């Protein structure tokens, strides 16, 4: 027989507290933690930013239940294909929160989406965002959306709507997260496709602006963990005088306009394109290859922003590990017909891109292979004897306003 056990919640140590609303005549949405009036102020605050991204195809304004966009852009295409992409900013947001600087992560959000759909040759048409916050503050949201609008202007797409969601009790008041969604269009006859790639094609790499929005869990761990806010704001010689904080917050480069200029001016010259994101060159360039060809990448044939070797050095990464973690200086890699590579390269340079010839396509099995291995990080990796150097305790560094701990550059 089962014994009956009686528990008195009122006397238990872990008994829940009496609900805060007990004794009140009613409980409003605002008392529950959601301020609809602040939400309305936030919408008003972002209207100018949204309108700055407007394209002729946009119908109406924000505030409706759905964003309206005419498909007139596709009317001259024989077989228009809609291409969509969605992404977020990841833990780079933690750097923005630490810095109290929120006007650039919106650019990252747009970049991660539009650069992805660009890999098909599509033109991004419109963008929508989703902002989840612990406590809605119209000024902070306006700052974030201002960055999203700047990203949309750089990409030439319209910000036609989004959602601001307040999550009291789920997120801390100062916390927020971002996600985005973009739609573009490309004529099927002009689509970039790995099946178009042929042996002998040339790999053109476009310079990244830094880490972009990938690898930040590692970057934060080795560059920010155990550091004071003062330290990460100090200029660093290894970063060309820039601070760690500013270098980590450099927004992702948006390549849409320059690449579309090349695609328009040189039809069918670009066969495929890889957006170098999480997984680095090793695990993204192969996505632009057919199963019977390899990309042979020549290590050392390009340069990179100082923050990239800085993080690799701090993490003591091997070159092979670095190449599958960070973009290592290449935000996009275009696979181009060898006969047209000079013209495509010139057009991209005229459009403002820093372009590198980083290799070519060879027979293989759909993989990325490297030549001149060891040349990418040989002059920045920490030597074995330099490891395990003592670091002054954080309390003492704060008191003495000490500099960010860094090794001297070797001669």
């Amino acid at each position: 027989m089962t014994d009956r056990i009686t528990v008195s919640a009122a006397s238990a140590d872990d008994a829940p507290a009496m609900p805060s609303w007990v004794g009140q005549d009613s409980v409003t949405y605002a008392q529950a933690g959601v301020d609809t009036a602040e939400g309305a102020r936030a919408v008003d605050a972002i209207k100018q930013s949204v309108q700055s991204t407007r394209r002729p195809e946009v119908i109406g304004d924000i505030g409706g239940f759905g964003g309206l966009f005419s498909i007139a852009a596709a009317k001259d295409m024989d077989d228009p294909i809609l291409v969509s992409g969605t992404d977020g900013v990841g833990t780079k947001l933690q750097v923005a929160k630490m810095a109290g600087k929120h006007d650039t992560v919106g650019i990252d959000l747009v970049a991660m989406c539009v650069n992805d759909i660009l890999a098909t040759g599509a033109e991004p048409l419109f963008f929508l965002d989703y902002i989840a916050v612990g406590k809605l503050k119209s000024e902070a949201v306006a700052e974030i959306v201002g960055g999203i609008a700047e990203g949309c202007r750089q990409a030439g797409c319209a910000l036609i709507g989004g959602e601001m969601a307040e999550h009291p009790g789920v997120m801390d008041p100062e916390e927020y997260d971002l996600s985005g969604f973009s739609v573009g269009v490309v004529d099927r006859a002009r689509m970039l496709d790995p099946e178009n790639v042929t042996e002998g094609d040339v790999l053109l790499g476009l310079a990244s602006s830094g880490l972009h929005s990938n690898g930040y869990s590692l970057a934060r761990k080795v560059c920010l963990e155990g550091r004071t806010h003062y330290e990460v704001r100090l200029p660093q010689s290894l970063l060309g005088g820039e601070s760690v904080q500013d270098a980590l917050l450099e927004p992702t480069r948006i390549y849409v306009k320059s690449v579309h200029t090349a695609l328009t001016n040189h039809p069918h010259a670009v066969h495929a394109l890889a957006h170098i994101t999480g997984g680095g060159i090793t695990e993204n360039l192969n996505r632009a290859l057919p199963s019977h060809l390899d990309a042979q990448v020549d290590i050392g044939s390009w340069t990179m922003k100082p923050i990239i070797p800085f993080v690799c050095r701090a993490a003591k990464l091997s070159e092979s590990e670095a190449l599958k973690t960070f973009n290592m200086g290449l935000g996009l890699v275009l696979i181009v017909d060898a006969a047209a590579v000079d013209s495509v390269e010139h057009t991209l340079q005229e459009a403002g891109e820093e372009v590198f010839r980083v290799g070519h396509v060879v027979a293989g099995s759909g993989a990325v292979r490297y030549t001149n291995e060891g040349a990418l990080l040989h002059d920045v990796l920490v030597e074995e004897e330099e490891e395990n150097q003592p670091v002054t305790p954080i309390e003492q560094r704060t008191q003495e306003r000490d500099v960010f701990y860094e090794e001297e550059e070797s001669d």
Side-chain angles (χ1 to χ4, degrees):
M1 183 176 69
T2 303
D3 293 332
R4 181 184 299 274
I5 300 175
T6 303
V7 177
S8 174
S11 62
D13 292 338
D14 61 348
M18 189 66 71
S20 60
W21 48 264
V22 171
Q24 297 183 20
D25 293 335
S26 65
V27 183
T28 65
Y29 208 7
Q31 289 171 320
V34 177
D35 190 343
T36 55
E38 185 68 6
R41 286 190 288 273
V43 171
D44 288 339
I46 67 175
K47 280 187 175 179
Q48 185 173 354
S49 292
V50 173
Q51 290 169 352
S52 72
T53 72
R54 193 177 181 91
R55 288 174 51 127
E57 301 94 337
V58 176
I59 300 170
D61 202 350
I62 60 171
F65 290 101
L68 304 178
F69 193 93
S70 169
I71 58 170
K75 67 181 181 180
D76 295 327
M77 296 182 180
D78 294 328
D79 187 3
I81 305 295
L82 292 178
V83 184
S84 60
T86 185
D87 211 332
V89 181
T91 63
K92 188 173 185 176
L93 289 179
Q94 297 302 115
V95 185
K97 295 169 193 173
M98 177 203 72
K101 180 177 173 58
H102 310 286
D103 60 342
T104 60
V105 288
I107 301 174
D108 291 296
L109 181 66
V110 176
M112 298 307 291
C113 295
V114 298
N115 286 342
D116 269 355
I117 68 174
L118 178 63
T120 64
E123 175 193 4
L125 300 175
F126 58 84
F127 190 87
L128 297 99
D129 60 60
Y130 179 87
I131 306 173
V133 299
K135 180 62 178 176
L136 191 60
K137 298 177 183 177
S138 57
E139 297 86 355
V141 170
E143 190 176 358
I144 294 167
V145 175
I148 295 173
E150 171 59 25
C152 287
R153 289 192 295 270
Q154 290 183 24
C157 64
L159 178 57
I160 64 169
E163 169 72 0
M164 290 178 289
E166 197 168 14
H167 292 322
V170 177
M171 303 174 72
D172 290 337
E174 300 301 320
E175 288 294 311
Y176 70 94
D177 199 7
L178 305 177
S179 59
F181 182 85
S182 185
V183 172
V185 66
V186 62
D187 199 338
R188 186 188 293 269
R190 288 178 172 262
M191 273 184 62
L192 304 183
D193 188 336
E195 295 305 316
N196 296 335
V197 176
T198 62
E199 189 171 352
D201 283 353
V202 178
L203 308 177
L204 288 184
L206 304 189
S208 70
S209 55
L211 297 182
H212 283 182
S213 298
N214 300 106
Y216 273 79
S217 294
L218 174 58
R220 289 188 303 109
K221 184 175 183 65
V222 299
C223 290
L224 303 182
E225 196 172 287
R227 308 296 179 189
T228 67
H229 285 196
Y230 174 72
E231 287 175 301
V232 300
R233 288 170 168 81
L234 286 173
Q236 299 298 316
S237 60
L238 292 176
L239 296 177
E242 195 172 24
S243 70
V244 172
Q245 174 184 286
D246 289 346
L248 290 177
L249 282 177
E250 183 68 30
T252 306
R253 186 161 178 79
I254 294 175
Y255 301 95
V256 172
K257 291 183 178 180
S258 57
V259 170
H260 265 282
T261 298
L263 296 178
T264 300
N265 291 355
H266 312 286
H268 309 295
V270 179
H271 292 160
L273 185 159
H275 182 200
I276 310 302
T277 56
I281 298 170
T282 304
E283 297 179 3
N284 282 286
L285 183 51
N286 61 333
R287 298 164 65 183
L289 297 171
S291 59
H292 64 286
L293 295 173
D294 284 355
Q296 185 165 298
V297 178
D298 301 325
I299 297 293
S301 59
W302 69 91
T303 60
M304 51 189 164
K305 297 295 183 182
I307 186 62
I308 298 173
F310 185 90
V311 173
C312 292
R313 176 176 180 156
K316 302 179 177 65
L317 288 183
S318 67
E319 186 178 83
S320 61
E321 189 68 22
L323 285 164
K324 62 180 182 181
T325 303
F326 302 114
N327 65 57
M328 300 310 292
L330 301 179
L332 287 186
V333 176
L334 286 70
I335 303 179
V336 183
D337 187 333
V341 69
D342 290 341
S343 300
V344 172
E345 181 178 32
H346 178 73
T347 298
L348 290 168
Q349 290 170 335
E350 288 291 303
E353 298 295 344
E354 187 175 6
V355 188
F356 307 97
R357 297 196 186 193
V358 300
H360 58 284
V361 175
V362 297
S365 57
V368 178
R369 63 171 80 166
Y370 297 100
T371 61
N372 198 26
E373 293 183 63
L376 194 59
L377 294 174
H378 75 280
D379 58 343
V380 295
L381 290 177
V382 179
E383 298 295 335
E384 187 71 25
E385 60 268 20
E386 293 178 327
E387 296 181 5
N388 302 318
Q389 294 294 319
V391 181
T392 307
I394 189 170
E395 297 83 2
Q396 183 179 340
R397 298 202 313 276
T398 302
Q399 183 178 3
E400 297 175 355
R401 299 174 70 82
D402 198 3
V403 298
F404 186 95
Y405 181 76
E406 67 176 27
E407 283 92 353
E408 294 293 328
E409 291 182 88
S410 58
D411 294 330

